[in-house]
């Protein structure tokens, strides 16, 4: 009689596919144990033959099932063996993936542009090498105007100059655009100032201009309040300090609550709790009239600021030279999520 | 400008300077840039007369004085003194033992063995900081025109505060103590004590003949001749006012003209009468035929017809409103002078000042456009002082002027207009209330303002709205966001902004370099754009290329140990016209060194890949080409390795270069720099994305592709460009993609090159059959054979 117990034990102990195959041939092969019992069936009486045959078939099925399960198990352990070679150490240093970055100044400029684009301002640019006309004359500063001294200017050997502010773009927009005008101009400007911690002869300015029917000072103030809150937080307030720029009337320096000390007073704000961050005013009718805009119907406002000053305040940068130094150890400090 | 608070208070007695008024002033545009408190730091200092001076018997440089105290006991005090500006008979401030100087009590002291019963004082010891008043006064303060009844505190007008107030160039009316007081009275709503009434000298058929060439240059000129002059020091009270205002006392006559200028804002000038030939004063433009003048500051100036002169019958004696001539300057022994008070046009003064490069207190005021009526008032004030103080006798006074001096300026506006401009709802009465110090008529909500002659800045209604706004307080007007109505523009980012975004996507880091470069920087482009007035030699050209700047950035970073760089810059350059430029720099390896040894060493082809990517993404149609650049660009081209460089061509026109930096340029640099690959391309302004095309969706094919490799050898003289152009010239059905996947030069030891291509075919309609693909491959082989190709393999 077949010793099922012994056979199962043998199958259980087989631990390679070869061994298992040998056992299978021995048990279930054509010359195998089971077949030899089946051949012997014909010598048995009919009723016993039938019973015995069914018994043998059940055994055969059982063994086949055991063998196929065993094959699967061995295959799985073989695969695991192979995968083990791929094992990693999660504590080893990761691969140094790179990331591209925009310069912090352009990121600040972009942020300002985005804030104002929500109000419908369109970003425009203009030339850095400008004429006297656009930089001064059209801005209500004819030759010999004493206000020209407010901007120390670099003059060029081609009769032109390096723009001292982005305001010439306002004039170009008035020449080109249909009314109303709602633009934000940005770009590099030049002043013949001796460099110090907060001044550089090369700097970047951003300037907004809005001309439409019925634009009032209250609109300028509302826009600046929105701007200050968008840039420096909900709690922000603006303060107007009367000033003078020939192309606006009235003109003002605009201060926000100090972003460093939140208005309590610190070195940055000279203990005043306020920081002057931009210049603003209502567009001077003379400027409109020169561009054939009827100042009796249209009025407007403009405001402008230095990108470096804003960036220095936002990120606590203590010296303006960092911006043009391009030390990658500086530039790489400004991570991707800084803008929110 | 420096203002003494006490002097201001002479005109505005109720002015209380504190933090609150200071803030109000600042909000109204009067920024206090500096504030110096002059304290009363002494007590019981008296006035003494020096009766005798002898040298100190033991120590050189010291003097021994005998001083009699005014109004005190008659005993003489023996006082040692180190300063030498004293002489017998001088009145001086004296601190006796028991008095306090600089908050310290004084005692009898021995100085070099001699008892000193007190101290003669200088301004510094009386509390005037030396560093602030250094140019004004030195030595012991010699008191002039003082009497027994005076006391030092009152003579020095202490305590006081010196305010330095920033004055905008449109407010010439604030360049004087009186003008500033008048402004403060308006801002703070305080009464102004009006005491500017001085008698006019009688107009005599004077000995001076006045000839004004053009009243446009000079609308008022007054010449007063004063005789029997007594030139001496001016009274101490006046000297102190000058010193506190930052002016240096000289002598009584010069001081009076400075005093009147500080008080009222009108510059005056005095000429030694001996220099006035033929008793004639001509106010005329300079002659272009080489007229010259030796000015008071001892320099010879060439004159021309853009400079206004004060001249006698024969020669110039001064530049109008700017500086006097050496020959007409007052001498010690002068007994007769001519006092000038005039109104010159701001344009002529400013033009002349810039041309001659001389700036004076007088030119500063004239070029800011003074009140034309001020000249007469100031003259009367000066004459009043001269007569009262007994410095001279008026012998004649002549005036010439245009009539009227100024046409009346009227500004008309309504309550409505004010409210529309400010965005407020002010009632007429409140506007009326805010028009302090203005002369106006009100007819049914319409204001007609007659502007004061000194307010040169008031011309249009907006100027008055500003005044109303500041009295009301701009910070009290509520802000309102304007309606967002004008969102009609089509949003398009500039090319520069697109390039920046794209390069950041490609993993590059943006840098920003200076636009002003040194004169000796490798000139990359023909004629540089030069600054006429550079700050330094290092910043004297406007850059013609971004390459030297970005290269400098790379080298600086390499010196700091950052050796792997993938950086870019966009910015403006000047090459005959202003252009927008993009520069890219790559050096080292793409990734920082790592234990996985995974890295890429970027080279020329990596860079050309970047440019190709830019071209494709922004549809710029850039091509890389090896033709020689035109003459003017040759300099730039030499920046590159002679065998590793190429042109970037856009729409058939040269637009930039790329390649390895010329090794000669970095050979000297330490630490040693690895290969650096650079590219730069230029775009005309205005930079817009002219070829911008909207992207439309294409259905991707759902059928499998068929890929075939083809290896073909060509003689070396057949370039890849020939091969590529040949393939592009034939029509190949279902071709999706061609890739060059292998390249072998000197193949089979022959002068041949082997190229292996991978062709990908795909149909959008069905799966391609073997026959269909074979047919296309045969077509390609056949065409390559016509240009010398030999088939090596076909998989
Ligand atoms: Zn602060």
């Amino acid at each position: 009689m077949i010793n099922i117990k012994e056979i199962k034990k043998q199958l259980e102990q087989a631990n390679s596919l070869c061994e298992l195959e040998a056992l299978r041939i021995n048990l279930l092969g054509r010359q195998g144990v089971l077949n030899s019992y089946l051949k012997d069936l014909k010598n048995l009486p009919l009723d016993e033959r039938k019973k015995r045959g069914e018994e043998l078939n059940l055994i055969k099925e059982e063994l086949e099932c055991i063998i196929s399960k065993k094959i699967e198990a061995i295959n799985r352990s073989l695969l695991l063996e192979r995968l083990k070679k791929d094992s990693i150490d999660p504590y080893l240093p990761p691969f140094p993936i790179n990331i591209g970055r925009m310069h912090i100044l352009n990121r600040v400029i972009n942020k300002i542009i985005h804030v104002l684009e929500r109000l419908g301002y369109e970003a425009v640019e203009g030339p850095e090498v400008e004429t006297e006309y656009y930089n001064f004359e059209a801005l209500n500063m004819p030759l010999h105007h004493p206000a020209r001294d407010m901007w120390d200017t670099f003059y060029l050997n081609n009769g032109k100059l390096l723009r001292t502010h982005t305001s010439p773009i306002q004039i170009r927009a008035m020449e080109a655009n249909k009314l109303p005008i709602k633009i934000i101009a940005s770009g590099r400007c030049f002043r013949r100032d001796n460099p110090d911690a907060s001044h550089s002869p090369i700097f970047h300015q951003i300037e907004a201009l809005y001309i439409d029917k019925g634009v009032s000072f209250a609109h300028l103030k509302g826009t600046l309040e929105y701007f200050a809150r968008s840039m420096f937080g909900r709690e922000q307030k603006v303060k107007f300090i009367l000033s003078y720029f020939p192309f606006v009337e009235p003109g003002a320096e605009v201060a926000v609550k100090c972003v460093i000390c939140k208005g309590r007073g610190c070195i940055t704000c000279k203990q005043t709790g306020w920081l002057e961050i931009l210049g603003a005013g209502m567009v001077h009718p003379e400027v409109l009239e020169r561009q054939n805009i009827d100042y009796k119907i249209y009025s407007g406002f403009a405001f402008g600021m230095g990108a470096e000053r804003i960036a220095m305040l936002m990120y606590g940068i203590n010296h303006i030279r960092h911006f043009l130094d391009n030390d990658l150890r500086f530039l790489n400090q400004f991570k991707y999520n800084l803008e929110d | 400008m420096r203002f003494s608070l006490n002097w201001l208070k002479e005109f505005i007695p109720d002015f209380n300077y504190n933090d609150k008024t200071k803030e109000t002033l600042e909000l109204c545009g009067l920024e206090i840039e500096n504030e110096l408190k002059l304290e009363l730091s002494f007590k019981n200092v008296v006035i003494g007369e020096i009766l005798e001076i002898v040298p100190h018997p033991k120590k050189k440089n010291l003097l021994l004085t005998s001083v009699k105290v005014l109004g005190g006991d008659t005993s003489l005090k023996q006082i040692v003194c180190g300063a030498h500006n004293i002489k017998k008979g001088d009145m001086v401030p004296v601190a006796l033992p028991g008095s306090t100087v600089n908050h310290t009590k004084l005692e009898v002291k021995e100085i070099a063995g001699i008892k000193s019963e007190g101290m003669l004082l200088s301004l510094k010891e009386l509390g005037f900081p030396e560093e602030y008043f250094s140019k004004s006064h030195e030595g012991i303060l010699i008191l002039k025109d003082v009497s027994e009844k005076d006391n030092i505190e009152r003579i020095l007008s202490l305590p006081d505060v010196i305010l330095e107030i920033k004055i905008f160039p449109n407010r010439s009316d604030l360049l004087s103590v009186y003008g500033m007081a008048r402004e403060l009275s308006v801002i703070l709503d305080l009464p102004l004590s009006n005491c500017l009434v001085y008698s006019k000298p009688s107009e005599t058929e004077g000995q001076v003949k006045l000839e004004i060439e053009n009243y446009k240059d000079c609308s008022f000129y007054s010449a007063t001749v004063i005789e029997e002059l007594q030139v001496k020091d001016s009274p101490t009270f006046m000297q102190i006012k000058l010193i506190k205002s930052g002016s240096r006392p000289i002598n009584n006559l010069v001081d009076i003209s400075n005093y009147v200028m500080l008080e009222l804002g009108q510059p005056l000038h005095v000429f030694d009468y001996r220099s006035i030939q033929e008793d004639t004063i001509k106010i005329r433009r300079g002659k272009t035929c080489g007229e010259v003048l030796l000015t008071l500051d001892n320099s010879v100036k060439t004159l021309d017809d853009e400079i206004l002169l004060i001249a006698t019958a024969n020669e110039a004696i001064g530049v109008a409103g700017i500086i006097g001539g050496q020959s007409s300057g007052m001498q010690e022994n002068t007994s007769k002078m001519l006092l000038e008070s005039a109104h010159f046009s701001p344009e002529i003064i400013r033009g002349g000042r810039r041309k001659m490069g001389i700036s004076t207190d007088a030119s500063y005021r004239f070029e800011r456009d003074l009140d034309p009526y001020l000249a007469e008032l100031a003259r009367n004030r000066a004459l009043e002082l001269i007569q009262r103080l007994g410095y001279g006798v008026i012998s004649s006074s002549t005036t010439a002027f245009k009539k009227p001096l100024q046409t009346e300026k009227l500004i008309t506006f309504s309550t409505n207009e004010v409210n529309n401009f400010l965005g407020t709802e002010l009632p007429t009465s409140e506007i009326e209330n805010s028009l302090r110090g203005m002369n106006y008529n009100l007819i049914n909500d319409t204001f007609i303002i007659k502007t004061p002659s000194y307010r040169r800045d008031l011309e249009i209604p907006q100027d008055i709205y500003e005044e109303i706004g500041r009295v009301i307080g701009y910070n009290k007007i509520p802000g309102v966001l304007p309606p967002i109505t004008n969102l009609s523009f089509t949003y398009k980012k500039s090319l520069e902004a697109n390039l920046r975004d794209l390069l950041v996507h490609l993993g590059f880091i943006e840098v920003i370099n200076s636009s002003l470069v040194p004169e000796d920087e490798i000139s990359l482009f023909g004629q540089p754009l030069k600054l006429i007035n550079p700050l330094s030699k290092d910043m004297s050209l406007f850059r013609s290329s971004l390459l030297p700047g970005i290269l400098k950035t790379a080298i600086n970073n390499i010196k700091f140990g950052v050796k792997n760089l993938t950086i870019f810059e966009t910015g403006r350059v000047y090459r005959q016209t202003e252009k927008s430029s993009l520069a890219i720099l790559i050096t080292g390896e793409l990734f920082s060194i790592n234990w996985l040894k995974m890295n890429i060493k970027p080279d020329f082809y990596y860079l050309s890949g970047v440019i190709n990517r830019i071209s494709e993404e922004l549809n710029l149609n850039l091509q890389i080409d090896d033709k020689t650049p035109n003459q003017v660009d040759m300099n730039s081209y030499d920046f590159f390795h002679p065998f590793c460089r190429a042109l970037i061509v856009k729409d058939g026109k040269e637009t930039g270069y790329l390649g390895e930096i010329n090794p000669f340029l970095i050979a000297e640099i330490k630490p040693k720099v690895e290969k650096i690959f650079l590219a730069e391309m230029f775009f005309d302004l205005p930079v817009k994305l002219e070829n911008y095309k909207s992207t439309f969706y294409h259905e991707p094919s759902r059928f499998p592709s068929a890929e075939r490799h083809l290896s073909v050898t060509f003689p070396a003289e057949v370039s890849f460009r020939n091969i590529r152009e040949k393939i592009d010239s034939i029509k190949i059905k279902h071709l999706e993609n061609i890739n060059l996947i292998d390249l072998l030069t000197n193949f089979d030891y022959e002068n041949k090159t082997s190229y292996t291509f991978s062709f990908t075919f795909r149909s959008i309609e069905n799966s391609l059959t073997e026959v269909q693909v074979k047919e296309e491959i045969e077509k390609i082989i056949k065409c390559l054979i016509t240009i010398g190709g030999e088939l090596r393999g076909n998989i």
Side-chain angles (χ1 to χ4, degrees), chain A residues 258-270 273-275:
Chain A
C258 177
V259 295
I260 313 281
C261 65
K262 310 275 179 257
R264 283 187 298 272
C266 68
I267 306 169
T268 307
C269 61
K270 294 180 191 126
W274 293 90
L275 291 169

